[in-house]
């Protein structure tokens, strides 16, 4: 794809600067002296209270001394007990007795013949040992052996699969992603049972060592996009990644834009549908929000429920969303422009009514709208941050009480309260919260243009934002596709949605191979 280029702006250059790592001395081999290894691990972890050191004698033989390290709270106690029991077993027919005869080449026979754990591997470097230990594995070290065994006994507390809170639907699946990496990959695997679904994993963050998964379908995805995702993630040189939003901010094409250029969702069906279109999913351990790239502006007006309803119903709902988008963006600005510069555009009876309401209001229309918009934004943010039991009630009651009190006090007119309320409601119609926030920011800029130049200022602001949108790219793909550039065959699922049997191809600019979804070109007809 010709569009794909890694932009070397100043921020990206700063991110890729090599930073000195104070822990480079960890990249050294393990010692064959068990006592030295114990002292080294304890010292590096600051003799932490949750570090458990369990000394054992392999097979009951005193000369085969060993130690099991694990972090209390992130391992499954039953699995650790099972491992210890297998290593301490003293029966004549025990596998451990036969394994000890192979000393000193003991690690591989232990893994294959004794440990009844699905995940077990050898560790020869101290850096790898700490990474395995702090991700929930138990480490078995033996005296006289410079190799440790990492045993998969992860078992920390995690949230169960629940209905997504930010992307609810009336009709559709109710499961959502959690903070556990493996749970999230399994939710995707459950929907796409294909060997072509590949999930690559990398570790990002020098301190947090956060696991990041890159999921795509081989044969459908554009390989250049996969390479670009790998390149951008591997160029991240930072000490901590705590949420997918950290990754999003570091790998997006353009940082100086109010519009989101990377999509995210906590719904497995939405992410699976995006992967089936040829997109790449980025799963971050510890975050219930999975990133999806590349993203188009039309994606932020679509909901998972659009594909679970009939095409005519889904199309109607989408049109309502676009109408709500323009109301949320331009509502207060048009009101300000008309009252300030273009009163002749309003019917005379309505103009007289508005003038009567504004009698006694000491502020011009722009200040009046600005006060109300800022007040509603404060109420909205307060409702989110307050406890859930009282947050919604406070925001609704606060808006009603403040609006009524402001009108009675003569600070604002009733018409302005109605305009701001409709604008706020329209903003909630947008299914993507990140696009809704962008609209809220842009609205203030257009209000300034309307107050200064009227409808001409609004038109100039719209032209500037359209030009800015056309300049954006999401991992090399034009942000405004399939409208600009205009792709005729992709219009079937942009503003309108055609029936399922008519969605024959995947988006052309996203998936440039294996574009055909259906082999048949006509829908089934009922038998006579």
């Amino acid at each position: 794809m010709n569009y794909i280029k890694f932009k070397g702006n100043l921020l990206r250059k700063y991110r890729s600067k090599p930073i000195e790592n104070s822990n480079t001395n960890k990249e050294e081999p393990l010692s064959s002296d068990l006592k030295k290894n114990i002292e080294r691990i304890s010292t590096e972890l600051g003799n932490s209270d949750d570090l458990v050191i369990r000394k054992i004698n392999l097979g009951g033989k005193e000369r085969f001394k060993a130690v099991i390290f694990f972090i209390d709270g992130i391992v499954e106690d039953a699995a650790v007990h099972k491992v210890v029991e297998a290593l301490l077993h003293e029966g004549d027919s025990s596998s451990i007795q036969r394994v000890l005869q192979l000393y000193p080449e003991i690690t591989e026979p232990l893994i294959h013949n004794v440990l009844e754990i699905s995940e077990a591997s050898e560790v020869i470097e101290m850096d790898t040992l700490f990474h395995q230990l702090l991700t929930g594995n138990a480490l078995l070290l033996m005296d006289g052996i410079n190799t440790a065994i990492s045993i998969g006994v992860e078992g920390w507390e995690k949230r169960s699969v629940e209905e997504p809170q930010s992307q609810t639907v009336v009709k559709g699946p109710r499961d959502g992603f959690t903070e556990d990496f493996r749970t999230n990959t399994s939710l995707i695997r459950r929907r796409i049972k294909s060997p072509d679904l590949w999930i690559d994993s990398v570790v990002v963050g020098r301190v947090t060592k956060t696991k990041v998964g890159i999921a795509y379908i081989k044969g459908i995805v554009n390989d250049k996009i996969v390479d670009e995702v790998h390149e951008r993630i591997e160029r991240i040189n930072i000490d901590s990644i705590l949420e997918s939003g950290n990754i999003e901010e570091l790998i997006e094409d353009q940082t100086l834009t109010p519009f989101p250029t990377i999509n995210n969702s906590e719904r497995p069906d939405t992410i699976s549908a995006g992967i089936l279109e040829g997109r790449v999913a980025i799963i971050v351990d510890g975050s219930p929000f999975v990133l999806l790239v590349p993203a188009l502006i039309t994606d932020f007006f679509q909901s998972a429920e659009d594909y679970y309803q009939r095409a005519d119903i889904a199309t109607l709902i989408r049109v309502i969303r676009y109408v709500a988008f323009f109301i949320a963006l331009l509502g207060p600005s048009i009101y300000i422009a008309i009252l300030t510069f273009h009163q002749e555009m309003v019917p005379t009876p309505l103009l007289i009514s508005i003038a009567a309401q504004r009698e006694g209001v000491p502020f011009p229309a722009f200040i009046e709208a600005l006060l109300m918009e800022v007040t509603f934004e404060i109420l909205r943010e307060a409702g989110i941050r307050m406890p859930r039991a009282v947050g919604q009630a406070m925001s609704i009651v606060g808006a009603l009480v403040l609006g009524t009190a402001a009108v009675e006090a003569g600070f604002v007119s009733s018409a302005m309260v109605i305009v701001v309320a409709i604008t706020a409601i329209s903003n909630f119609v947008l299914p993507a919260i990140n696009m809704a926030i962008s609209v809220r920011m842009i609205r203030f800029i257009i209000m300034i243009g309307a107050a200064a130049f009227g409808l001409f200022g609004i038109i100039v602001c719209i032209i500037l934002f359209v030009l800015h949108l056309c300049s954006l790219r999401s991992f090399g793909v034009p942000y405004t596709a399939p409208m600009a550039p205009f792709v005729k065959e992709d219009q079937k699922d942009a503003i309108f949605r055609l029936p399922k049997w008519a969605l024959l191809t995947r988006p052309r600019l996203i998936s440039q191979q294996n574009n055909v979804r259906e082999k048949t070109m006509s829908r089934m007809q009922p038998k006579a």
Side-chain angles (χ1 to χ4, degrees):
M1 182 178 292
N2 294 330
Y3 293 111
I4 296 185
K5 292 181 180 178
F6 194 87
K7 294 188 177 181
N9 53 31
L10 293 177
L11 291 175
R12 189 83 19 91
K13 288 179 180 178
Y14 172 76
R15 296 170 196 153
S16 61
K17 285 183 179 179
I19 300 177
E20 293 295 330
N21 190 351
S22 60
N23 295 324
T24 53
N25 58 341
K26 291 182 183 178
E27 298 179 0
E28 62 181 43
L30 295 172
S31 172
S32 58
D33 188 337
L34 182 60
K35 186 177 180 180
K36 288 183 178 179
N37 288 332
I38 294 174
E39 291 177 355
R40 173 68 189 281
I41 295 171
S42 300
T43 303
E44 289 288 347
L45 293 176
N47 295 308
S48 299
D49 182 66
D50 57 352
L51 174 64
V52 180
I53 304 175
R54 176 74 158 85
K55 296 181 180 181
I56 61 175
N57 296 322
L58 292 179
K61 300 293 184 180
E62 237 180 84
R63 71 187 186 94
F64 296 110
K65 295 181 179 180
V67 171
I68 292 182
F69 291 89
F70 60 90
I71 303 295
D72 189 24
I74 64 173
V75 299
E76 186 179 350
D77 293 337
V80 174
H81 177 73
K82 186 177 181 180
V83 171
V84 174
E85 185 179 12
L87 294 172
L88 289 177
H89 192 37
E90 299 188 34
D92 293 337
S93 61
S94 172
S95 298
I96 192 67
Q97 302 293 341
R98 297 193 299 271
V99 169
L100 292 176
Q101 297 173 4
L102 301 174
Y103 185 91
E105 292 82 8
I106 191 174
T107 55
E108 186 173 348
L110 273 177
I111 292 174
H112 295 293
N113 300 334
V114 177
L115 299 175
E116 298 178 1
I117 298 292
S118 59
E119 295 184 12
S121 59
E122 294 183 352
V123 175
I124 60 175
E125 291 184 352
M126 192 63 71
D127 187 40
T128 307
L129 182 144
F130 282 111
H131 177 68
Q132 295 288 336
L133 182 64
L134 295 171
T135 53
N137 291 351
L139 274 300
L140 174 64
L141 285 82
M142 294 158 284
D143 193 20
I145 303 294
N146 61 353
T147 302
I149 299 178
S150 174
I151 308 167
V153 289
E154 300 175 1
W156 55 72
E157 293 295 327
K158 56 187 178 183
R159 184 168 61 94
S160 60
V161 177
E162 301 172 350
E163 182 177 359
Q165 299 297 316
S166 62
Q167 298 171 330
T168 58
V169 295
V170 176
K171 182 180 180 181
R174 293 290 191 269
D175 56 340
F177 289 121
T178 69
E179 289 76 15
D180 184 63
F181 180 85
R182 192 53 62 204
T183 300
N184 293 343
T185 58
S186 66
L187 289 172
I188 298 176
R189 288 278 186 193
R190 179 181 173 185
R191 287 169 168 80
I192 306 177
K193 304 177 182 67
S194 170
D196 294 327
L197 174 60
W198 292 6
I199 302 178
D200 308 331
S201 63
V202 295
V203 176
V204 183
R206 298 189 309 278
V207 176
T208 58
K209 305 289 185 183
T210 305
K211 190 174 185 179
V212 177
I214 302 170
Y216 55 92
I217 296 182
K218 188 67 175 177
I220 294 180
V221 70
N222 188 335
D223 294 332
K224 292 183 179 180
I225 293 180
V226 177
D227 295 339
E228 183 73 8
V229 172
H230 272 284
E231 181 183 355
R232 297 191 188 188
I233 291 179
E234 290 169 1
R235 286 173 64 99
I236 296 175
N237 192 357
I238 197 170
D239 59 353
S240 63
I241 294 293
L242 300 177
E243 215 274 337
S244 60
N246 301 150
I247 295 283
E248 178 179 357
E249 193 172 357
L250 291 169
I251 67 174
E252 59 186 355
D253 291 61
Q254 179 61 261
T255 56
L256 300 177
T257 177
F259 297 99
T261 56
I262 296 178
N263 200 0
N264 67 77
S265 176
E266 57 177 336
R267 296 188 59 87
D269 54 336
T270 300
I271 297 299
S272 299
I275 293 175
L276 288 168
E277 284 187 341
R279 304 176 198 261
V280 179
I282 302 173
I283 309 163
V284 180
D285 190 18
S287 173
F289 288 90
V290 175
L291 306 180
L292 197 63
V293 297
L296 309 179
I297 190 171
T298 54
D299 297 337
F300 299 96
F301 295 90
Q302 299 174 1
S303 171
E305 195 173 7
D306 293 352
Y307 301 93
Y308 307 140
Q309 302 278 6
R310 284 174 41 188
D312 51 352
I313 299 175
T315 299
L316 173 62
I317 295 174
R318 280 192 186 176
V319 171
I320 291 174
R321 290 192 194 117
Y322 281 99
V323 172
F325 168 76
F326 286 106
I327 292 176
L329 187 66
L330 303 175
S333 304
I334 293 176
Y335 181 83
I336 293 170
I338 289 177
L339 287 189
T340 307
F341 296 98
H342 312 286
Q343 295 91 346
E344 68 279 0
M345 297 180 62
V346 183
T348 303
L350 179 59
L351 183 62
I352 294 174
S353 175
I354 294 176
Q357 294 176 22
R358 288 185 51 78
E359 186 178 0
V361 175
F363 306 111
F366 171 68
I367 301 299
E368 186 183 2
L370 189 63
L371 288 174
M372 289 302 298
E373 283 289 342
V374 172
T375 302
F376 268 76
E377 291 297 330
I378 293 173
L379 282 172
R380 191 196 327 248
E381 192 66 19
I384 294 174
R385 305 304 165 196
M386 290 187 69
R388 186 172 299 178
V390 297
Q392 293 182 352
M394 193 283 301
S395 60
I396 295 173
V397 173
L400 292 174
V401 171
L402 284 177
T404 303
V407 172
E408 292 178 353
F411 287 110
V412 297
S413 63
S414 301
M416 177 58 72
V417 174
I418 294 173
V419 170
V420 173
I422 293 176
T423 301
I425 294 172
S426 299
N427 195 261
F428 286 120
V429 174
L430 300 180
I433 184 65
N434 44 5
M435 179 59 75
I437 295 174
S438 300
V439 171
R440 286 156 58 183
M441 292 190 297
I442 298 170
R443 182 164 61 228
F444 287 100
I445 299 175
I446 300 180
M447 286 170 57
I448 295 174
F453 304 104
L455 292 179
F456 176 75
I458 296 176
I459 294 173
V460 170
C461 289
I462 292 175
I463 292 174
L464 292 177
F465 280 117
V466 170
L467 291 174
H468 175 67
L469 282 172
C470 292
S471 69
L472 295 179
R473 297 286 186 273
S474 178
F475 282 77
V477 178
Y479 189 59
T480 52
M483 273 76 76
F486 185 81
V487 183
K488 181 179 179 181
E489 55 267 28
D490 289 349
Q491 301 301 317
K492 59 186 178 296
D493 192 24
I495 299 177
F496 306 100
R497 182 179 87 78
L498 297 185
K500 188 71 175 178
W501 51 265
L503 302 178
L504 302 177
T505 57
R506 298 181 177 88
R508 186 170 63 86
L509 292 180
I510 295 176
S511 175
Q512 295 188 344
Q513 56 180 338
N514 193 8
N515 284 337
V516 178
R517 281 195 179 110
E518 296 185 35
K519 297 298 182 183
T520 177
M521 299 299 291
S522 60
R523 67 187 181 96
M524 297 178 62
Q525 298 292 337
K527 293 182 179 180

